[in-house]
Amino acid sequence: MLLLGIDTSGKTASVAVYDTSKELFLAQTSVYTKMTHSQVILPLCKEMLQKANLTLNDIDEIAVAAGPGSYTGLRIGISAVKAMCFGLSCKCNGVSTLLAMAYSNIAYKGNICAIMSARNDLVYTAVFKSDGYSVECIEEEKIISHSELAEMLAFMGTETLLCGDGSAEFFMKYQSPLLVMAPPHLRLQNASGVCLAATCMESISPSELEARYLQKVKAEKDLENKYKES
């Protein structure tokens, strides 16, 4: 099966094609960009597929990072995947961004903590355990402060690999011999991790695909404040 992976959850726009039967990535491209993902992601897909001598009609399933992450980025990626899946009549998969980063670092045997920057002092995070072949979630996804995360990892008392766009700041703030940074090429979100995580999940129809924000979006907060004031 040929699996197309897409990640637009952060500043990196990333696409990859994975042959699940051969366990081989046929192509992958990541671009750290200041442009909006709506300008980048579809041309990136088209260019990558052309270089791999493939077309969208060759794709059997599409996986996308479904959150947490940038509200706008997630909506762009999910909307693009829904449109492609409806057009191709194929299944899809919405993968946790945090889980996908853990799968990117699956070769590390031990605890993996994915950290994504949220607003102020908050981070999206989850802790996973890898045996080198599979990943298991041992601390569920949540949005917490730096100090709460530091306390949680200290309580675990075991060496932990840090990844994600919030990992470097956290590592510098709470330097500890138990904290290890993922290498730069495996630190940020990428579509390869999305593909690997999707192979361990049941596929869904595009109508079931939704974003998972972990916190209320601005429109929801504004509406709540409006009702409180009235």
Side-chain angles (χ1 to χ4, degrees):
M1 180 179 79
L2 291 188
L3 175 63
L4 172 64
I6 292 176
D7 194 317
T8 56
S9 61
K11 292 183 179 179
T12 300
S14 182
V15 292
V17 177
Y18 184 57
D19 187 328
T20 60
S21 60
K22 296 179 180 179
E23 296 187 335
L24 176 68
F25 280 99
L26 303 181
Q28 49 189 317
T29 302
S30 294
V31 178
Y32 190 86
T33 176
K34 292 183 179 179
M35 298 174 67
T36 61
H37 288 305
S38 59
Q39 298 173 281
V40 175
I41 199 64
L42 291 180
L44 208 59
C45 278
K46 182 179 180 180
E47 180 183 1
M48 179 195 66
L49 290 170
Q50 285 178 341
K51 288 182 177 179
N53 198 28
L54 296 169
T55 69
L56 274 176
N57 289 322
D58 296 313
I59 300 300
D60 300 298
E61 186 176 315
I62 306 178
V64 62
S70 159
Y71 296 153
T72 302
L74 292 174
R75 287 195 294 270
I76 290 170
I78 289 172
S79 296
V81 169
K82 281 191 172 188
M84 286 189 285
C85 287
F86 279 125
L88 297 169
S89 297
C90 71
K91 293 280 190 175
C92 62
N93 219 311
V95 176
S96 159
T97 314
L98 299 169
L99 177 63
M101 285 191 286
Y103 266 96
S104 292
N105 291 278
I106 194 172
Y108 179 83
K109 294 182 179 180
N111 287 1
I112 301 171
C113 180
I115 308 171
M116 295 177 64
S117 298
R119 291 186 177 90
N120 302 320
D121 187 49
L122 300 176
V123 293
Y124 303 111
T125 189
V127 182
F128 307 88
K129 190 174 184 65
S130 170
D131 60 7
Y133 300 96
S134 61
V135 170
E136 173 192 4
C137 182
I138 59 175
E139 279 291 342
E140 65 181 16
E141 299 180 2
K142 61 193 75 177
I143 179 167
I144 57 177
S145 67
H146 277 181
S147 59
E148 289 173 312
L149 177 57
E151 184 178 345
M152 183 176 74
L153 295 180
F155 182 77
M156 289 183 173
T158 186
E159 184 178 272
T160 301
L161 180 77
L162 306 181
C163 58
D165 59 24
S167 59
E169 180 183 357
F170 181 82
F171 179 78
M172 293 301 295
K173 191 173 182 179
Y174 299 98
Q175 293 188 32
S176 163
L178 294 177
L179 300 179
V180 181
M181 283 296 297
H185 65 293
L186 299 176
R187 194 172 301 167
L188 300 182
Q189 300 97 303
N190 66 73
S192 300
V194 171
C195 287
L196 293 176
T199 61
C200 302
M201 302 169 63
E202 292 291 332
S203 57
I204 60 175
S205 67
S207 60
E208 298 176 276
L209 183 60
E210 295 181 351
R212 300 193 292 270
Y213 298 116
L214 287 192
Q215 65 173 322
K216 294 175 181 177
V217 299
K218 184 178 184 300
E220 291 176 318
K221 293 177 181 177
D222 290 344
L223 187 60
E224 284 186 355
N225 291 333
K226 180 179 179 180
Y227 281 125
K228 288 178 182 178
E229 293 170 359
S230 61

